[in-house]
């Protein structure tokens, strides 16, 4: 069996829903792998720079499940995103936030209010 002929599109919305969903899922899995490969990137740094973190991804995963009638708890979602129980990840990979990080996060949060 040969590979299907490659398809070129100008807009991802031109793809059928299943193909687009599969591509988005693959990108999500790659994001999780990238975060797993870069455990030194702290959640607070992600929050400062991008206004989301691994915990946000966990909550978004839960929300996506709920939208589709699939229920699982926050710990299960975090374990999927972190690749291990959150408590284990926190023990081995989460550094204490520095005063500079906390100030930067507060400034970001304040900037969203202004």
């Amino acid at each position: 069996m040969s590979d299907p002929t490659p398809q070129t599109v100008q807009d991802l919305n031109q793809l059928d829903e299943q193909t687009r969903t599969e591509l988005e899922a693959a990108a999500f899995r790659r994001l999780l792998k990238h975060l797993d490969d870069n455990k030194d990137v702290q959640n607070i740094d992600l929050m400062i720079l991008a206004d989301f973190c691994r915990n946000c991804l966990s909550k978004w995963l839960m929300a996506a499940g709920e939208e589709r009638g699939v229920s699982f708890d926050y710990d299960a979602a975090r374990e999927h995103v972190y690749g291990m129980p959150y408590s284990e990840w926190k023990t081995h990979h989460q550094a204490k936030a520095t005063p500079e990080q906390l100030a930067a996060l507060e400034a970001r949060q304040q900037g969203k209010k202004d």
Side-chain angles (χ1 to χ4, degrees), residues 103-114:
L105 181 60
E106 177 59 33
R108 175 154 181 95
Q109 297 301 320
Q110 189 60 44
K112 290 184 344 185
K113 293 177 185 175
D114 296 339

Side-chain angles (χ1 to χ4, degrees), residues 55-103:
N55 291 324
C56 297
L57 289 173
S58 301
K59 291 174 185 173
W60 298 341
L61 186 59
M62 282 179 54
E66 289 172 8
E67 289 171 4
R68 287 156 185 83
V70 178
S71 179
F72 46 91
D73 68 18
Y74 187 42
D75 288 335
R78 286 201 298 190
E79 186 165 340
H80 184 75
V81 168
Y82 283 91
M84 63 185 71
Y86 177 66
S87 60
E88 183 180 327
W89 191 92
K90 191 174 175 179
T91 298
H92 296 290
H93 304 290
Q94 184 168 309
K96 184 171 170 56
T98 66
E100 294 81 11
Q101 287 172 316
L102 293 171

Side-chain angles (χ1 to χ4, degrees), residues 6-10 14:
Q7 179 181 355
T8 302
V9 296
Q10 300 301 316
Q14 292 176 319

